[in-house]
Amino acid sequence: PAPRPEIAAAAADARALAGEADALRAGGRPDIALVLRAQNLFHRSDGGDRGAAVQIGIPLDQGARRARLRQIAAGIDAAAARRDAALLEIARERAGARTRAEAARDLLFSFDGLLDDARRLLRAHRVGFEAGQSGIAATIDAQRTLNALRDERRDAAYAHT
């Protein structure tokens, strides 16, 4: 799967800063160059107007370079911290989603026993009503209870999917 944008951004920042640090380190090394010189390339002349030399460039501003390298190191650490924070947030979101799914599944399964009890209660009230032992209000209330439990189970099933 593709990384989330905040993780990709933190990784890109760290790579850019690491590249800049490499360039700064390379810039801190002395440069050595062979220099060939000639006064006039088109006319022959004596050897005095031609020459070769070795040129060495020594970077003198080491303090600023070291300070920038420290800033870059802090930036790389900050990018790693942002990446780690994003990974922790993703793990937290996954754990929360897993917990919600398990709770919805458990709630859905808990309705099975309740629905059986409500059906038995309604049957008992109907038999009691037919025998004259129970009133119509109790029978209607048992039917309402069963219907309400069915509605709640349907909502729980919808939440579980």
Side-chain angles (χ1 to χ4, degrees), residues 94-113:
R94 285 182 180 166
R98 190 177 310 115
T99 301
R100 286 189 300 277
E102 289 171 359
R105 187 193 66 225
D106 293 344
L107 178 65
L108 184 61
F109 291 140
S110 72
F111 276 104
D112 292 339

Side-chain angles (χ1 to χ4, degrees), residues 12 51 82 94 105 112 119 121 133:
R82 284 193 305 274
R94 285 182 180 166
R105 187 193 66 225
D112 292 339
R119 284 186 197 105
L121 180 64
Q133 300 294 320

Side-chain angles (χ1 to χ4, degrees), residues 20-126:
E20 186 178 346
D22 290 343
L24 271 175
R25 284 188 201 96
R29 294 186 201 111
D31 290 330
I32 300 174
L34 178 62
V35 178
L36 299 174
R37 181 183 61 81
Q39 287 286 26
N40 193 340
L41 295 175
F42 301 110
H43 294 70
R44 287 185 64 92
S45 60
D46 62 358
D49 63 348
R50 285 183 245 153
V54 175
Q55 179 179 349
I56 300 175
I58 299 174
L60 298 176
D61 193 11
Q62 297 296 323
R65 188 179 64 80
R66 281 193 303 268
R68 181 61 187 143
L69 284 171
R70 282 192 297 272
Q71 286 177 343
I72 289 172
I76 290 172
D77 291 344
R82 284 193 305 274
R83 186 199 67 228
D84 292 344
L87 289 172
L88 286 174
E89 179 66 20
I90 290 169
R92 189 185 64 75
E93 288 173 4
R94 285 182 180 166
R98 190 177 310 115
T99 301
R100 286 189 300 277
E102 289 171 359
R105 187 193 66 225
D106 293 344
L107 178 65
L108 184 61
F109 291 140
S110 72
F111 276 104
D112 292 339
L114 291 174
L115 283 171
D116 290 340
D117 292 345
R119 284 186 197 105
R120 278 195 298 275
L121 180 64
L122 179 60
R123 233 179 283 123
H125 276 291
R126 282 183 180 162

